Amino acid sequence: MPARDARTGTDRTRATARRNSVQKQPVAPVLTGDRLVVGTVPPLVPATGILLVLAGLLGIAAAFAPYLTVDGQQLRQVHGVGSALVALLVPAVQLAVGATLIRRAVPKFGLAYASVAAALAVGQLLIEIYRGRSSTSRPGVEVLAGEVVLTSGIQVGAGWVLGIGSLVLTVLAGFVGMAAWGRTVMEDRGALDAVRAPLAGAAVLLGVATAICLTVPAADVPDQLRTDPATGIESVVTQEGPQALLERPGLALLGGLLLAGALLLCSVVAPSLRPRLAVVGGLLGVAVAVLAAGLVGLQDAASSDDLEWTVPGMGLVALGLAFLALTAVAWRARRSAA
């Protein structure tokens, strides 16, 4: 014969309520190996994704539209398969990361990428505004869309306008992403903590080297070796080449300083983010930007007989690949702790 419950009706009601509340508590999703827990995802996360997707779409359109008309010569960023692959690198990554944010999957990965991309886009935006609006005030030799041109007269095209729009949307996505960061719940069991210190040290070193490489054009006009017909003495004749990043005036100089400073800052901050996938997103943002800058120099040198690929340009490609390697290390760190 079952024993009677000696508790009062109120006690039994409270016990039943506690059991029901425990049963109704949502179970946090856990991923095998990393034990990743994704909780609250505010509406700002998909909003960041939408902005990134729009930025990527505008970037793709800008790559194929007329870019600038310099002294009557119309320039386009894409004039072959190789240049198309280089021009579409950043927009393609923006589309992919933006799609993950719209789906609210691994949100801090996308938010970290958006924040880093926005920080780097501010300097790039000022440089582009200078190219299309202020470069004629102090004409100089520049490399635009793989062509060596003198910026004595410039007319903006649809590609330039779309490119500016893409950069503006990237900056907006970063601001929205930073606003969503503190409200987004995403944690793991700390699989990256064992290698976080050496990862941060390597990222800082790569960031310093990248900032140094950015100060010199990735593709430059080579010097000429000439022989004096009277004396037979050979001499090196220096030709005027494109302006270095920190040699340009006004907005371009400010943009160059902001770009170099943001690159160093992002290299320091990205490895310290939590969880592990946020580190992957931050390092991916730096890697894509650095690799794209190096590949643009390579494409310019390959497409023009007047240009040669410089050592800093080669360094940017190598550093971009090194940042990708750090991104892969952060991505695979979950297996060592699985």
Side-chain angles (χ1 to χ4, degrees):
M1 179 176 180
R4 297 185 59 186
D5 193 343
R7 294 176 295 182
T8 63
T10 302
D11 292 337
R12 288 196 298 271
T13 302
R14 289 176 178 174
T16 302
R18 282 197 298 271
R19 287 196 300 271
N20 291 337
S21 64
V22 171
Q23 293 174 356
K24 293 180 181 179
Q25 285 181 354
V27 179
V30 178
L31 300 183
T32 305
D34 210 24
R35 294 183 183 175
L36 182 68
V37 178
V38 179
T40 303
V41 180
L44 288 176
V45 170
T48 304
I50 292 173
L51 289 172
L52 270 184
V53 169
L54 291 176
L57 292 175
L58 286 184
I60 293 173
F64 294 94
Y67 178 47
L68 294 171
T69 301
V70 183
D71 289 336
Q73 180 182 0
Q74 189 179 81
L75 304 178
R76 293 176 180 267
Q77 297 184 50
V78 173
H79 40 76
V81 176
S83 58
L85 294 176
V86 173
L88 296 180
L89 174 60
V90 174
V93 176
Q94 287 180 325
L95 289 175
V97 176
T100 66
L101 287 172
I102 293 175
R103 292 170 33 235
R104 304 191 180 200
V106 289
K108 284 198 171 181
F109 162 77
L111 294 179
Y113 174 87
S115 300
V116 168
L120 299 178
V122 173
Q124 296 170 347
L125 177 61
L126 295 180
I127 293 172
E128 282 298 319
I129 293 176
Y130 166 79
R131 285 177 176 174
R133 292 298 183 188
S134 305
S135 59
T136 56
S137 60
R138 291 178 60 179
V141 176
E142 275 289 0
V143 177
L144 301 176
E147 298 290 339
V148 182
V149 295
L150 180 64
T151 58
S152 58
I154 289 182
Q155 294 179 345
V156 299
W160 183 86
V161 175
L162 291 171
I164 291 292
S166 176
L167 290 172
V168 169
L169 288 175
T170 302
V171 174
L172 289 177
F175 279 115
V176 176
M178 285 185 281
W181 181 271
R183 307 177 189 179
T184 304
V185 178
M186 177 177 164
E187 287 295 338
D188 60 17
R189 62 176 182 174
L192 190 64
D193 292 344
V195 297
R196 193 179 291 273
L199 190 71
V204 171
L205 291 177
L206 293 178
V208 172
T210 303
I212 294 173
C213 289
L214 283 174
T215 59
V216 180
D220 203 352
V221 178
D223 296 334
Q224 290 186 348
L225 187 64
R226 293 182 180 176
T227 303
D228 189 338
T231 62
I233 298 176
E234 293 183 342
S235 60
V236 176
V237 179
T238 302
Q239 300 187 90
E240 185 179 1
Q243 296 174 328
L245 188 64
L246 301 182
E247 292 178 351
R248 299 165 182 168
L251 286 178
L253 176 60
L254 178 59
L257 293 173
L258 288 176
L259 179 59
L263 185 66
L264 288 173
L265 180 61
C266 293
S267 300
V268 172
V269 173
S272 65
L273 298 176
R274 294 188 64 92
R276 176 185 60 83
L277 288 180
V279 177
V280 175
L283 289 177
L284 179 63
V286 177
V288 170
V290 175
L291 185 59
L295 291 177
V296 166
L298 172 59
Q299 176 60 35
D300 289 346
S303 61
S304 175
D305 296 332
D306 299 327
L307 296 170
E308 67 176 11
W309 200 24
T310 63
V311 173
M314 301 175 191
L316 286 176
V317 174
L319 291 167
L321 294 175
F323 271 115
L324 281 180
L326 289 186
T327 306
V329 169
W331 170 256
R332 294 178 61 85
R334 73 192 191 281
R335 297 189 178 182
S336 61

